[in-house]
Amino acid sequence: MPGNLIAATLRAGLYTRIVGRRLLYFQELTSTMDEAARQAEADAGEGTVVVAETQTAGRGRFGRNWVSRQNNLYLSVLFRPDLTALPFLSGMSGVASVRAIAKTAGLKARLKWPNDVTLDGKKVGGILVESAISGDQVRHAIVGIGINVGLDMEDAGEISSFATSLNAAKGDQVSREDLLRRLLHELDAQYVRLTQGETPMDEWRELLDTIGQEISVTWQGDHYTGRAEGVDDIGNLQLRLADNRLITLTSGDVTLRKPDSINGT
Ligand code: BTN
């Protein structure tokens, strides 16, 4: 059984203002999102972090399964933002993940809209935000982050064609403790800025590989194809369709279109 990841993370010092005020560590959970939601309903404070070694029902966007084996990073962070800050939690977490990966592993990760963390076009991490809202009040928002650190790509089954891990990309072991500590620092710095009215969107936009690409987007059973022209102030995707209409998508699943499918050959 691996040693307590949080204890090891804290040994080197965690100097944050909000994120990590309380840290909860589990060998196994259904999902860190479930535990963080339980904590939120039990009035846990903003900044509570839930980390698990493995998840039996880890989930991604659109209710997809998130493969959650040993030696990776699975965490959820509880926030209590106001309604204006809520749309930026996802972007802020993408920026924090890319920064943490650069500082810990020396790898230049990028983002695929809205927030797949990628290395050389393969997914290395994902971000899920779930929130509970009553009227115009955010009761809580939970940011879930999963990063493939030591995922054995030989044994990763069907996901190995589009996913990678930090160790595989670096060709060396990346410390999960250092990554977790750095990620908590970066999330904290981003969130403190957000509470002061500074959004992460400029940096997030710079990290987005999707802009300028010919893409297909699937959203609630509908498919759209076109050129990703840009993103608006809160991160919605602006897609130029073949008939020249510009549409705005608030969410969706993006795939890059291959040049031959664009030419129709
Ligand atoms: C996605 O790209 O679809 C988002 C994946 C988010 C996975 C993380 S792992 C930690 C947290 N717990 C979960 O069940 N999901 C998120």
Side-chain angles (χ1 to χ4, degrees):
M1 198 175 275
N4 186 322
L5 178 59
I6 283 187
T9 297
L10 290 179
R11 265 197 292 278
L14 183 70
Y15 307 101
T16 53
R17 283 166 63 176
I18 299 172
V19 174
R21 277 175 180 161
R22 190 158 161 251
L23 294 156
L24 303 170
Y25 172 75
F26 299 83
Q27 284 295 332
E28 185 169 278
L29 286 172
T30 52
S31 160
T32 56
M33 303 304 279
D34 297 338
E35 180 58 28
R38 269 193 294 275
Q39 294 292 332
E41 294 302 337
D43 271 343
E46 182 166 63
T48 297
V49 175
V50 177
V51 177
E53 287 293 340
T54 58
Q55 302 180 111
T56 53
R59 58 180 177 268
R61 293 168 67 233
F62 309 120
R64 290 197 189 114
N65 176 42
W66 184 261
V67 175
S68 303
R69 304 185 191 141
Q70 299 275 4
N71 288 327
N72 301 294
L73 206 54
Y74 309 113
L75 70 145
S76 293
V77 185
L78 168 62
F79 292 104
R80 298 193 185 277
D82 61 29
L83 207 50
T84 54
L86 183 62
F88 301 111
L89 289 187
S90 173
M92 143 195 133
S93 306
V95 170
S97 300
V98 169
R99 283 176 164 237
I101 289 170
K103 289 187 177 151
T104 315
L107 296 168
K108 281 194 176 164
R110 303 277 299 165
L111 297 173
K112 184 177 91 165
W113 186 85
N115 257 318
D116 284 356
V117 185
T118 61
L119 283 170
D120 291 330
K122 286 192 162 188
K123 185 156 170 169
V124 73
I127 291 156
L128 179 68
V129 180
E130 294 179 345
S131 53
I133 299 173
S134 302
D136 60 359
Q137 290 280 103
V138 182
R139 290 212 317 274
H140 65 253
I142 296 166
V143 170
I145 303 178
I147 300 181
N148 300 333
V149 181
L151 186 67
D152 181 358
M153 298 320 296
E154 306 270 295
D155 189 33
E158 83 271 20
I159 68 166
S160 62
S161 60
F162 58 85
T164 188
S165 68
L166 296 182
N167 288 356
K170 191 172 166 66
D172 199 358
Q173 300 278 320
V174 173
S175 156
R176 289 189 312 147
E177 293 76 15
D178 289 350
L179 181 65
L180 176 60
R181 191 176 46 256
R182 179 51 67 183
L183 184 55
L184 298 179
H185 278 146
E186 296 292 343
L187 283 168
D188 189 66
Q190 294 286 330
Y191 188 65
V192 167
R193 262 184 240 130
L194 190 56
T195 60
Q196 294 164 349
E198 242 182 272
T199 83
M201 300 316 265
D202 287 346
E203 191 170 348
W204 176 76
R205 214 177 258 120
E206 291 288 306
L207 289 170
L208 274 185
D209 266 345
T210 316
I211 307 311
Q213 305 271 11
E214 295 293 333
I215 59 171
S216 298
V217 187
T218 305
W219 170 230
Q220 295 188 327
D222 291 321
H223 304 284
Y224 307 89
T225 55
R227 185 182 163 81
E229 281 219 341
V231 281
D232 69 13
D233 289 348
I234 55 166
N236 297 317
L237 181 72
Q238 292 157 328
L239 187 71
R240 180 73 63 185
L241 303 179
D243 64 8
N244 213 30
R245 274 182 305 140
L246 188 67
I247 61 165
T248 298
L249 293 166
T250 55
S251 183
D253 202 18
V254 168
T255 44
L256 286 187
R257 291 169 68 211
K258 297 201 178 75
D260 52 357
S261 72
I262 297 164
N263 299 332
T265 50

